[in-house]
Amino acid sequence: MKYIKFKEVISNRKKKPLSTFKKIFIGAITSIFPKANPDFDDKIDSVSIWLLEFENEEDFPNREIGIDSNNNVILKMPYKENYGYWTDNNLKFKDFIKLFNVEVINESEFLKKWNELR
């Protein structure tokens, strides 16, 4: 297994509050089509640091952990009914190395953080 950590690329763009119509529309759609990450969708924008696990350099992420600016684990996926944010894309280990300023971490650091959220 391989493990990496990287800081989230922060956007200067601020989210606009949703209109009442959009809230109703999103509520109706998500009652028909369930969210990919029902427990964590609202926390993804609060992630400051990502930790990812890969089987090898040719693979996509297996598991991911999101940590906030206070070093608290705020999400981990896949977990329960949450599919994942990075696990649901086409980026492989080598792509993360090219696109982000990653730090290789060890398994124990990843597992310690994984077990902080239950």
Side-chain angles (χ1 to χ4, degrees):
M1 296 288 202
K2 296 208 171 270
Y3 301 90
I4 61 171
K5 171 169 55 173
F6 62 94
K7 290 185 179 183
E8 174 64 273
V9 178
I10 299 174
S11 169
N12 291 332
R13 163 178 65 95
K14 291 187 178 183
K15 282 189 167 185
K16 291 187 228 174
L18 295 176
S19 69
T20 303
F21 173 75
K22 285 185 181 179
K23 287 179 186 176
I24 293 169
F25 179 74
I26 290 170
I29 292 296
T30 56
S31 68
I32 298 168
F33 303 103
K35 289 182 177 182
N37 304 306
D39 299 321
F40 300 125
D41 268 349
D42 61 331
K43 295 179 177 160
I44 290 172
D45 287 338
S46 298
V47 172
S48 294
I49 299 172
W50 288 99
L51 279 62
L52 303 179
E53 174 190 68
F54 300 83
E55 208 158 307
N56 62 53
E57 291 183 11
E58 301 301 321
D59 284 336
F60 301 105
N62 294 329
R63 295 189 291 176
E64 60 197 55
I65 301 168
I67 300 171
D68 69 10
S69 60
N70 295 318
N71 203 34
N72 297 313
V73 175
I74 57 173
L75 59 87
K76 66 180 186 180
M77 299 183 279
Y79 181 68
K80 297 184 180 179
E81 295 184 20
N82 302 279
Y83 183 73
Y85 181 71
W86 293 110
T87 57
D88 189 21
N89 71 58
N90 293 321
L91 296 176
K92 294 184 177 185
F93 180 85
K94 291 178 181 180
D95 299 320
F96 283 95
I97 299 296
K98 289 177 190 173
L99 295 171
F100 300 99
N101 184 18
V102 305
E103 175 186 340
V104 175
I105 61 172
N106 61 38
E107 180 181 29
S108 62
E109 182 178 350
F110 183 90
L111 293 177
K112 179 181 180 284
K113 288 296 188 184
W114 182 266
N115 291 323
E116 284 182 19
L117 187 66
R118 296 193 184 266

